[in-house]
Amino acid sequence: MPDTPRAYIVDDDSAALKSLLALLRARRIDAKGFSSGEEFLKEYDLRWCGCAILDVRMPGMSGIELLAELKEMGSSLSVILVTAYGDVSLAVEAMKAGAIDFLEKPYSQEELLAALVRGFDVGDAAARKSEMRADAREKLEKLTNREKEVLELLAQGMTSKEIAQQFGRSPRTVEVHRNRIREKTGAQSLSDLVRLIGAA
């Protein structure tokens, strides 16, 4: 299971970082702060869920570079980017990189909290999707290579008879494979199996 949702703030401005942590904790939002992207990555765990608030311009790794790194790692954290030097091209770059919001300092508490609520919603959905993907992959890993081949052909809409002809086996043998696939994956129907493949 993923960890409890939390706000992760990365900002090299210690005063801004303390202020933001105090604001979130006063609103009973679990929050943790980091002074750089490098410091964040040293502690980062893929099981973390919630929302990261990243300052765009920092010494070393920028907020956008950290966002790209998180995406590369398959993180389910949603990301809000903040900057004191906002411009349209930077906002476009941030959104293309996968940020769910882009705030220009000084932002209001209401703006930030509204963005954070959206971030938690998006992050929660991403964490659930990530969990479903891991569960689907785990189930599919239980299958033998032949069962995986049969499953692929079933998902393409082939009948047991057609699959049997392709493998030079009897339809009965294919039915045995189908039953084993259902047992190992817990799927009750062909549509369940198709969804399982899609989730993985």
Side-chain angles (χ1 to χ4, degrees):
M1 282 294 289
D3 286 355
T4 307
R6 174 188 268 180
Y8 299 91
I9 300 103
V10 185
D11 196 327
D12 63 307
D13 181 335
S14 60
L17 183 59
K18 283 178 188 170
S19 172
L20 190 45
L21 286 170
L23 167 67
L24 297 180
R25 288 169 182 160
R27 298 295 182 107
R28 300 191 185 286
I29 296 171
D30 188 17
K32 185 172 175 64
F34 303 87
S35 60
S36 70
E38 291 83 356
E39 182 190 340
F40 174 87
L41 287 175
K42 275 182 192 169
E43 285 193 46
Y44 177 67
D45 187 312
L46 262 176
R47 290 171 297 181
W48 286 3
C49 64
C51 183
I53 302 170
L54 313 179
D55 189 33
V56 171
R57 298 178 191 269
M58 296 183 285
M61 180 178 276
S62 73
I64 290 178
E65 288 169 341
L66 177 53
L67 167 58
E69 184 74 22
L70 287 171
K71 293 296 175 192
E72 182 73 26
M73 294 165 81
S75 172
S76 65
L77 290 176
S78 56
V79 173
I80 298 166
L81 287 170
V82 296
T83 182
Y85 312 96
D87 58 38
V88 174
S89 62
L90 197 57
V92 169
E93 185 183 352
M95 300 313 249
K96 278 185 178 174
I100 62 144
D101 218 328
F102 183 87
L103 301 177
E104 191 173 353
K105 296 177 183 177
Y107 45 76
S108 69
Q109 290 185 10
E110 290 70 27
E111 273 183 295
L112 177 75
L113 292 169
L116 195 53
V117 167
R118 282 195 303 277
F120 279 144
D121 287 344
V122 171
D124 187 44
R128 281 198 305 272
K129 189 175 179 183
S130 178
E131 204 173 330
M132 284 170 59
R133 186 183 303 121
D135 183 56
R137 286 178 177 169
E138 190 179 320
K139 286 176 179 175
L140 292 176
E141 280 304 309
K142 295 176 185 174
L143 303 180
T144 64
N145 287 336
R146 176 62 75 179
E147 288 164 354
K148 286 176 185 173
E149 289 170 351
V150 169
L151 175 57
E152 241 357 278
L153 296 175
L154 286 170
Q156 290 171 25
M158 290 179 71
T159 65
S160 293
K161 188 176 179 182
E162 289 168 336
I163 295 169
Q165 286 171 345
Q166 181 153 331
F167 291 140
R169 296 278 186 263
S170 72
R172 175 77 191 120
T173 302
V174 174
E175 281 302 319
V176 169
H177 286 311
R178 283 182 78 148
N179 289 334
R180 286 188 184 144
I181 291 166
R182 283 195 201 98
E183 285 168 16
K184 290 178 180 180
T185 62
Q188 301 299 312
S189 65
L190 181 57
S191 59
D192 285 347
L193 290 170
V194 171
R195 275 194 292 272
L196 190 68
I197 293 171

